[in-house]
């Protein structure tokens, strides 16, 4: 679809919501990326137990790759970097993340808008892309988002869904700046550690942009229906992540993606396969790598670890 004249988002939109930094995290609540982002975790989960998010290691004689599942946006007061995680990260000469962009939210929004803005007259109004029973909830969510309805009507369905999910991040009290990737990337830059991205921003957005329209509408419908329960779902996610409960994380990820096998294939399985290929190729180069990607990618039968296992590479859980 040819794109023209992308609408301009409200001032500060990207900085407030974090959408520009990790667009893919938000659908899977890891959100995205990332991955993903008032304290939401029940007090017992944070205060009674020291967070122990899951960490894996793949190693041979001269190469080590740590695999760390992340949440892209977190409560500011959650201390997640314990001694085991810190030791692995501090000993790494390379940090690998999903997208190693520079952090300029305004610049990061540009490719999103360029890719997701439809040519005039080529898409119906956004309300017409959902069943009639869901349109009142969509209208309320549009008003809550602060985004001009006319601009949303110009967006392809996947981008409208991404933009409309933003309020769930802010309402939940989560901040992408204190999410795992942002924290690790900041520290890596301070110590001059190399940072590598598994995908470019354009590649990550392309997974959405190439979805069939039916799948894009399923994504939009899920965003609208999940809005009222988003805060509780974030709480479940962060609690499971902080405890290193990978089975629970797998269940939460499946809940998000089971509505559309094609979405699951595009956003999870295909990407995990590409990342496993990258890791397998990296094992021929000596050094220590700390790879941090959304926790949903490191859980379940199609996880990165499972795909590495199929390549004959043994991954050990160390936390």
């Amino acid at each position: 679809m040819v794109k023209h004249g992308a609408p301009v988002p409200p001032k500060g939109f990207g900085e407030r919501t974090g959408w520009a930094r990790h667009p893919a995290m938000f659908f899977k609540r890891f959100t995205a990326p990332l991955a993903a982002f008032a304290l939401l975790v029940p007090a017992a989960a944070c205060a009674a137990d020291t967070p122990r998010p899951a960490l894996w290691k793949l190693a041979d004689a001269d190469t080590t790759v740590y695999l760390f599942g992340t949440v892209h946006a977190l409560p500011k007061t959650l201390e997640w970097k314990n001694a085991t995680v810190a030791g692995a990260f501090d000993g790494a000469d390379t940090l690998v993340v999903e997208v190693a962009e520079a952090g300029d939210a305004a610049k990061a929004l540009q490719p999103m808008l360029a890719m997701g803005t439809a040519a005039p007259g080529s898409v119906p109004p956004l309300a017409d892309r959902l069943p009639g029973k869901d349109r009142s909830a969509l209208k309320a969510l549009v008003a809550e988002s602060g985004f001009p309805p006319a601009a949303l009507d110009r967006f392809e369905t996947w981008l409208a869904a991404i933009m409309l999910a933003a309020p769930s991040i802010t309402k939940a009290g989560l901040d992408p700046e204190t999410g795992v990737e942002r924290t690790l990337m900041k520290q890596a830059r301070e110590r001059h550690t190399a940072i590598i991205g598994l995908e470019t921003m354009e590649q990550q957005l392309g997974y959405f942009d190439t979805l069939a329209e039916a799948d894009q509408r399923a994504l939009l419908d899920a965003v609208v229906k999940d809005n009222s329960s988003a805060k509780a779902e974030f709480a479940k996610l962060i609690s499971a992540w902080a405890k290193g409960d990978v089975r629970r994380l797998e269940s939460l990820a499946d809940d998000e993606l089971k509505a559309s096998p094609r979405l699951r294939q595009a956003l999870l399985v295909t990407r995990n396969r590409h990342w496993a290929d990258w890791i397998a190729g990296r094992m021929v180069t000596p050094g220590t790598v700390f790879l941090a990607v959304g926790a949903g990618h490191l859980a379940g039968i199609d996880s990165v670890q499972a795909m590495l296992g199929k390549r004959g590479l043994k991954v050990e859980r160390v936390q």
Side-chain angles (χ1 to χ4, degrees):
M1 195 175 288
V2 179
K3 323 296 171 61
H4 298 286
V8 177
K11 184 178 180 180
F13 181 83
E15 290 84 350
R16 291 198 311 269
T17 64
W19 286 97
R21 288 181 280 273
H22 293 287
M25 77 187 186
F26 298 96
F27 174 62
K28 301 190 298 299
R29 303 276 197 248
F30 295 117
T31 208
L34 205 229
F37 55 44
L39 280 175
L40 280 186
V41 185
C46 287
D49 301 310
T50 301
R52 293 179 55 82
L55 178 69
W56 292 264
K57 181 174 74 171
L58 171 63
D60 60 19
D62 57 8
T63 305
T64 298
V65 177
Y66 289 99
L67 307 176
F68 186 56
T70 70
V71 178
H72 301 300
L74 288 169
K76 292 182 178 180
T77 54
L78 179 59
E79 296 291 340
W80 52 267
K81 197 176 180 186
N82 61 22
T84 302
V85 174
F89 177 70
D90 292 346
D93 53 64
T94 304
L95 170 65
V96 176
V97 292
E98 294 182 28
V99 176
E101 43 78 21
D104 186 328
K107 288 183 179 179
L109 274 171
Q110 291 173 4
M112 183 185 297
L113 295 173
M115 192 176 293
T117 301
S122 63
V123 294
L126 192 61
D128 293 347
R129 302 179 224 175
L130 285 183
K133 61 183 178 63
D134 296 328
R135 291 176 185 173
S136 60
L138 172 64
K139 183 178 180 180
L141 185 53
V142 169
E144 184 180 0
S145 74
F147 214 95
L152 290 167
D153 285 343
R154 287 280 315 281
F155 289 156
E156 293 184 18
T157 308
W158 67 266
L159 181 56
I162 284 179
M163 293 299 186
L164 288 175
S168 68
I169 305 297
T170 54
K171 285 195 306 181
L174 304 180
D175 185 357
E177 286 301 324
T178 56
V180 176
E181 285 90 345
R182 305 303 299 180
T183 300
L184 294 177
M185 290 171 72
K186 179 181 178 181
Q187 293 176 356
R189 292 188 184 105
E190 290 173 349
R191 64 181 65 173
H192 304 292
T193 298
I195 303 175
I196 294 175
L198 292 167
E199 301 166 343
T200 66
M201 177 68 73
E202 287 78 7
Q203 286 173 326
Q204 193 174 81
L205 293 172
Y207 287 111
F208 292 91
D209 193 44
T210 56
L211 289 171
E213 178 62 20
D215 294 318
Q216 294 186 39
R217 294 188 182 191
L219 177 59
L220 176 63
D221 191 52
V223 168
V224 172
K225 290 180 177 177
D226 289 353
N227 182 52
S228 61
S229 61
K231 184 173 182 177
E233 291 303 312
F234 275 122
K236 294 176 185 177
L237 164 68
I238 297 173
S239 179
W241 175 78
K243 294 175 181 178
D245 188 344
V246 178
R247 289 187 179 181
R248 180 62 173 148
L249 289 172
E250 177 187 2
S251 175
L252 291 168
D254 282 347
D255 285 347
E256 291 291 341
L257 292 170
K258 66 184 179 183
S260 174
R262 291 186 299 270
L263 277 176
R264 188 178 189 279
Q265 183 69 34
L267 301 182
L268 184 74
V269 178
T270 297
R271 298 170 75 205
N272 286 0
R273 186 178 299 117
H274 291 164
W275 298 353
D277 287 341
W278 185 93
I279 294 167
R282 180 60 179 77
M283 293 301 294
V284 303
T285 303
T288 301
V289 173
F290 191 93
L291 185 144
V293 297
H297 295 283
L298 303 182
I301 60 173
D302 293 311
S303 67
V304 174
Q305 305 95 301
M307 292 185 179
L308 287 168
K310 293 177 181 178
R311 291 161 173 77
L313 298 171
K314 183 178 179 181
V315 181
E316 171 192 5
R317 183 166 178 178
V318 295
Q319 175 172 287

